[in-house]
Amino acid sequence: MSATSNNNFKPWPKPVVESHGDYRAEAYLEDHIGGKLYSKQHSLPRLPIPAIADTISKLLPTALPLAESDEEKKSYIKACEDFEEQAGELQKRLVERKEGDMKDSSWLQYWWNTLGYLQVRDPSPVNVSYFFHFSDDGTLPQAPTDKSLGVLRAASLLYSTAQFRQLVASGDLPYDAIGRKEPKTPLCSAAYKYMFNACRVPRKVEDTYRIYDPSLNSHVIVACGGKFYSFDFVEKGSGEPLPLEVIEERLQKCVEESKNGPPSPMLGYLTSDDRDKCAEAREELLRVGGTKMEEALNVLESGAVMICLDENEEPVSKKQSSEIFWTGGLSSGHNRWFDKSIQLICTNNGKAGMNGEHSMMDGMPVVGYCDYITKTPYGGVATQSSGRGLNVKGYESADQNVTDIFADCAAELTSSGSHVTAQIDQSKSNFDSLISAHEMQTQSFQGYGSSAIKKMGYSPDAYVQMAMQLATYRLWGEQGGTYEATQVRPFLHGRTETTRTVSPASEAFIKTMGLRPKRDETDPSKRTEKMEQLREAVDSHAKYIGSAAKAMGVDRHLLGLALSVKDGETAPPLFSHPLHGRSKTWRVSTSHLTHPRFDSWGYGEVTPNGVGLAYSIHPDSCMFCITALREHDWPERLSHLLEEALLEMQTLNVLDKAPTSRL
């Protein structure tokens, strides 16, 4: 892949497109942009609809281990037996939707994007946004310079962002594909349109998503000290990155302005609240700020990405860094605009990460972007930039190019008739309460990783899932419904399917292992029993993942059937069965992402009595990021129990392979 494209961006038919959550409405841009990136879109298969019998046969084993009585089990089995006949008409409607109205898309995507994201009223931080924590850049200067390490790191990430954005906006980026053998399976590229120059817009009831023509917008947004700035970081027309030195000077100007300029309302808090409150705040900003405010918001929304310079932060540990990249915490939450599609965050001591808005784009395309921008470190970018031989003096000075986005409407925001200050105070209070109510723990397990797990003969992902089942069982004294995100991007407009980890095999394994370690691994018969159950649980999980990756899980199908019930109709009893609700209450919300240049990554829990559990499985180590409500006191306990489970499972396998002494 070339670092840059020779093609100038093709101007869009419209300068800005407002999405209401239906990928079809923006699909014309893929044909307009063209290139390798979108070359497979018209030949991708469409998301299938499983047979009801297949869904029920997969569903039942994942729910029964969570039954609280034999009676509940029996009544659930009966509800499942009756479901195929009861849901026949719903299945017919779903098939008609797939073959009719949604024939050129996925039958699920519009429901998923709106009901699952744009209509959700919970605050974006904790509940929706996710973060990546990038590994340190060893090429940053060791000796102090006139700029912080954060400014230097931000400049190099921006330089590489310009290159990747150029590939995306021109369509020259090769489409993503999976598989070990050629030809590989192409993945849907729809999400890339919502990556750059994009922003979620708060609205009452249902938000929208704005995407702006990259050929008309050569600027980046910088948050520093809670103020927001804009400057050009690419050449107009070609989209080539400006020289690194120019980008550094402009970032430094933002830092200086944030310290020396007049005080400014902390507007970022207005993106952190309940979505209806965010919508009210936006309406108030436009009411008091008028056309100046509308222009300012357009500048912010249309910026390629946002850089958050947290000059007040110097985290050292994974936990400290992760907390900053996840929400900003109590000390830097004001320095975010949580609606921006991508926020790159750099701290004073050079730590860096990314916070992603999740509505229209899942994590894997963003992983590709972050892979690109972390591949070339600061030193390599500096060499690349100087090698282009550009005259730095030929560009506008930072004084000329950096603008304070909201400076022209600052007076109106604090005028006597404005409610903006009161709204900011309320949103800050709500944000502080949200952050204070949560806690996070990172576990960097150095015992072993995927290399050893493969040598033991297991799928690393399924093996670690069983460690998480055992650890959460010991934490709660019972199994909890467990979700593992599985991408279905081989299908047009596909996003994710649920892999359910609870199964009769995982139940048997954790119950044999016990609520506390039994230390009986040296007994050959007991060890053999545990090993057989572990193997069966791992194989069962790997099989489910295989089905989910083909969009043949159960959760998206059941959702589609439930949404096909019309007003006034009686839904099949299965949908209201307490065990059914329990089986899809994701007390353990897991997702696996391993990248050699990510130190940590994570997101919030999805149910108040559950945990968010992001994980990575490196060759010789495993990383876990655990989040939960602080009142439970779970993350530190679960961190210990994960280590305990992994060591116990290793001991089983080591002893099983150990030669018998002849003495």
Side-chain angles (χ1 to χ4, degrees):
M1 186 196 304
S2 64
T4 58
S5 157
N6 295 320
N7 300 338
N8 289 350
F9 299 161
K10 196 183 291 182
W12 288 5
K14 290 191 277 187
V16 57
V17 176
E18 188 137 6
S19 174
H20 296 271
D22 190 343
Y23 285 141
R24 294 175 300 172
E26 292 83 53
Y28 73 93
L29 286 170
E30 297 164 7
D31 294 330
H32 178 77
I33 295 164
K36 297 177 210 166
L37 182 59
Y38 300 113
S39 62
K40 298 292 184 182
Q41 289 299 94
H42 289 293
S43 58
L44 291 173
R46 285 153 58 233
L47 199 71
I49 297 174
I52 292 178
D54 290 346
T55 290
I56 292 298
S57 70
K58 285 193 191 89
L59 169 69
L60 202 53
T62 71
L64 293 180
L66 303 176
E68 293 179 350
S69 67
D70 287 340
E71 273 183 27
E72 192 174 59
K73 261 186 193 175
K74 284 174 189 168
S75 67
Y76 191 69
I77 291 169
K78 177 75 167 64
C80 286
E81 287 170 349
D82 296 342
F83 185 74
E84 186 168 6
E85 186 179 333
Q86 293 165 345
E89 178 60 29
L90 303 178
Q91 178 82 343
K92 188 178 161 197
R93 288 175 195 167
L94 201 54
V95 171
E96 284 171 358
R97 176 183 173 87
K98 175 178 182 271
E99 303 302 337
D101 187 34
M102 306 298 286
K103 65 181 183 297
D104 53 352
S105 184
S106 145
W107 58 265
L108 176 63
Q109 62 89 5
Y110 181 59
W111 279 339
W112 192 253
N113 294 348
T114 52
L115 300 174
Y117 288 103
L118 297 176
Q119 288 180 17
V120 172
R121 301 291 87 187
D122 295 329
S124 292
V126 175
N127 301 295
V128 180
S129 301
Y130 60 95
F131 77 90
F132 301 152
H133 169 197
F134 305 148
S135 302
D136 288 348
D137 184 341
T139 68
L140 289 169
Q142 294 286 330
T145 69
D146 60 342
K147 300 176 184 70
S148 74
L149 294 179
V151 164
L152 302 184
R153 186 91 191 260
S156 70
L157 293 173
L158 265 185
Y159 188 96
S160 298
T161 291
Q163 296 174 324
F164 192 82
R165 173 180 171 269
Q166 193 178 38
L167 290 166
V168 170
S170 64
D172 283 353
L173 183 74
Y175 58 81
D176 297 332
I178 54 170
R180 293 191 179 93
K181 295 177 185 173
E182 297 291 344
K184 293 188 174 182
T185 302
L187 302 182
C188 181
S189 296
Y192 282 96
K193 300 189 302 297
Y194 309 92
M195 184 176 283
F196 298 115
N197 306 95
C199 197
R200 182 170 172 170
V201 179
R203 309 275 186 200
K204 291 285 185 67
V205 182
E206 180 177 310
D207 293 353
T208 59
Y209 219 90
R210 282 188 181 168
I211 50 177
Y212 290 77
D213 180 353
S215 74
L216 301 176
N217 296 286
S218 54
H219 63 290
V220 65
I221 307 303
V222 179
C224 192
K227 299 177 184 178
F228 298 92
Y229 303 91
S230 167
F231 65 74
D232 292 326
F233 77 117
V234 298
E235 301 277 6
K236 287 185 167 67
S238 72
E240 294 267 357
L242 297 186
L244 182 65
E245 195 177 328
V246 172
I247 297 173
E248 285 178 8
E249 290 302 327
R250 292 179 181 181
L251 285 166
Q252 182 62 21
K253 177 67 176 173
C254 297
V255 174
E256 290 164 5
E257 283 289 307
S258 73
K259 291 174 180 170
N260 303 327
S264 177
M266 299 287 106
L267 297 178
Y269 281 123
L270 299 178
T271 67
S272 71
D273 213 333
D274 165 275
R275 298 307 296 174
D276 282 341
K277 290 193 174 71
C278 292
E280 288 168 10
R282 190 174 194 277
E283 287 167 8
E284 179 66 3
L285 288 174
L286 290 167
R287 185 187 73 79
V288 300
T291 54
K292 287 182 190 171
M293 175 56 72
E294 191 171 358
E295 286 166 14
L297 287 172
N298 284 343
V299 168
L300 190 147
E301 291 166 4
S302 61
V305 295
M306 178 171 282
I307 288 277
C308 304
L309 293 175
D310 288 356
E311 291 281 291
N312 56 314
E313 302 285 8
E314 296 207 345
V316 174
S317 68
K318 285 185 176 69
K319 180 174 184 283
Q320 289 172 329
S321 302
S322 294
E323 286 175 339
I324 291 166
F325 302 143
W326 184 31
T327 64
L330 299 177
S331 52
S332 290
H334 62 288
N335 205 41
R336 305 285 182 271
W337 196 273
F338 287 104
D339 290 340
K340 274 304 277 181
S341 57
I342 288 172
Q343 297 184 94
L344 295 173
I345 302 153
C346 297
T347 65
N348 191 55
N349 58 344
K351 300 279 184 188
M354 191 277 325
N355 187 282
E357 206 290 320
H358 212 326
S359 301
M360 298 295 286
M361 178 173 61
D362 290 315
M364 293 316 292
V366 184
V367 171
Y369 159 63
C370 292
D371 171 75
Y372 189 98
I373 64 171
T374 57
K375 192 174 285 177
T376 308
Y378 176 80
V381 170
T383 302
Q384 225 180 80
S385 177
S386 61
R388 289 164 65 197
L390 298 170
N391 178 13
V392 172
K393 292 179 180 172
Y395 295 89
E396 277 188 337
S397 69
D399 285 350
Q400 293 170 298
N401 198 267
V402 173
T403 58
D404 181 335
I405 295 174
F406 296 107
D408 286 352
C409 22
E412 287 88 339
L413 297 181
T414 53
S415 63
S416 58
S418 168
H419 301 298
V420 171
T421 302
Q423 287 174 320
I424 290 171
D425 290 345
Q426 184 60 60
S427 289
K428 179 187 186 305
S429 173
N430 293 342
F431 177 79
D432 289 353
S433 296
L434 179 70
I435 301 311
S436 300
H438 282 83
E439 67 171 321
M440 170 193 282
Q441 187 74 30
T442 55
Q443 158 73 263
S444 190
F445 176 76
Q446 299 296 317
Y448 60 103
S450 58
S451 297
I453 297 170
K454 286 175 188 171
K455 282 178 186 166
M456 294 176 202
Y458 302 105
S459 148
D461 179 76
Y463 178 95
V464 171
Q465 279 284 332
M466 291 313 122
M468 294 192 285
Q469 284 296 289
L470 180 54
T472 49
Y473 172 62
R474 288 173 171 173
L475 179 69
W476 295 324
E478 60 184 8
Q479 248 182 318
T482 305
Y483 172 113
E484 179 181 0
T486 303
Q487 72 167 354
V488 289
R489 281 176 61 221
F491 300 96
L492 178 64
H493 299 158
R495 292 193 63 171
T496 59
E497 174 58 276
T498 302
T499 290
R500 290 184 170 216
T501 313
V502 173
S503 67
S506 66
E507 179 192 31
F509 169 66
I510 64 173
K511 289 193 171 171
T512 300
M513 295 295 282
L515 287 169
R516 288 169 302 285
K518 297 176 182 175
R519 311 290 184 210
D520 58 2
E521 296 88 354
T522 52
D523 182 324
S525 65
K526 290 185 174 171
R527 184 171 70 246
T528 299
E529 181 188 16
K530 289 179 178 179
M531 289 284 290
E532 285 173 355
Q533 289 179 342
L534 173 59
R535 178 87 49 201
E536 199 172 321
V538 166
D539 290 349
S540 169
H541 188 76
K543 185 179 175 187
Y544 200 117
I545 283 188
S547 295
K550 293 173 184 163
M552 300 300 275
V554 305
D555 288 281
R556 304 298 182 262
H557 184 204
L558 290 169
L559 174 65
L561 293 172
L563 291 171
S564 300
V565 178
K566 293 179 180 173
D567 288 345
E569 290 183 341
T570 302
L574 176 68
F575 288 141
S576 55
H577 195 286
L579 178 53
H580 190 68
R582 199 176 308 128
S583 79
K584 64 188 184 79
T585 298
W586 308 122
R587 295 195 70 195
V588 192
S589 174
T590 77
S591 189
H592 175 196
L593 192 171
T594 300
H595 192 284
R597 293 186 298 281
F598 290 7
D599 279 4
S600 177
W601 80 283
Y603 48 84
E605 78 290 342
V606 299
T607 186
N609 69 333
V611 295
L613 187 41
Y615 61 107
S616 306
I617 311 171
H618 298 285
D620 300 308
S621 62
C622 299
M623 190 290 302
F624 301 93
C625 180
I626 309 159
T627 56
L629 286 169
R630 189 177 296 277
E631 67 189 60
H632 299 307
D633 193 24
W634 285 340
E636 187 176 350
R637 295 165 191 255
L638 183 53
S639 176
H640 169 80
L641 292 168
L642 284 165
E643 180 179 38
E644 178 184 85
L646 285 165
L647 291 173
E648 199 174 345
M649 288 160 67
Q650 182 188 38
T651 301
L652 277 179
N653 285 276
V654 168
L655 288 174
D656 195 60
K657 298 278 191 300
T660 308
S661 172
R662 293 179 185 172
L663 295 175

